[in-house]
Amino acid sequence: MTTLELLSHSPEETRGVGRALGQHAQASDLILLIGDLGTGKTTLTQGIAQGLGVAQPARSPTFVLVAQYQGRLPMYHADLYRVNNPLEALELGLDDQEREAGVCVVEWAEKAPEAFPQEHLEVRISYDGEDFRRLTLHATGPRHERLLAEVARSLSSEGAPRQPS
Ligand code: ADP
Ligand code: MG
């Protein structure tokens, strides 16, 4: 599976998508979040943290380049929004060995497309009315295709959120 489109009706539903991602993620998975301010990238990241069993909730890493959390795997959370030199920030904040041991989640990944390996899961979020968000998940490479397929299966057995018709 390479693409999954979802419609979320609430922050809780978006968190639920994140939770499924966190539950099925494996070491070295890379999740790139793309979408305007307020679409729900941090909300989704909170769900990923929950799904990974991280105790404290994810906030935007304002004072550190890359926030680290410990769940069943390490989770690294970067937010490139205010970062002047995203490539340098990522290199300083996280080495390759660390990244490969955990799950990496990057908000505003489009600011540094050259910084990331070709294989990743991209999540694009856009507004679709006040509390509605359209989520387009696109996987590149077999590992992330597996992740996407497992997320799709777990969401469809939960019954929500629905795929847009
Ligand atoms: P970002 O990190 O993309 O800037 P946040 O996750 O910080 O966005 O904020 C998203 C805001 O939108 C929150 O205030 C959240 O409550 C609200 N919201 C409303 N509907 C949704 C939805 N369906 N999914 C995610 N967030 C939503
Ligand atoms: Mg954010």
Side-chain angles (χ1 to χ4, degrees), residues 61-66 77-93 106-112 115:
T62 313
F63 300 107
V64 286
L65 300 173
V66 179
H77 178 204
D79 185 341
L80 303 182
Y81 183 52
R82 287 176 212 280
V83 172
N84 291 324
N85 187 337
L87 192 54
E88 187 182 71
L90 288 166
E91 279 167 0
L92 290 174
V106 184
E107 297 190 44
W108 295 97
E110 67 269 40
K111 283 189 69 177

Side-chain angles (χ1 to χ4, degrees), residues 8-11 14 35-44 60 107-108 130-133:
S8 163
H9 304 85
S10 66
T14 297
D36 289 344
L37 205 61
T39 47
K41 299 178 295 300
T42 301
T43 303
L44 187 84
S60 272
E107 297 190 44
W108 295 97
E130 197 171 334
D131 285 337
F132 289 12
R133 303 287 190 272

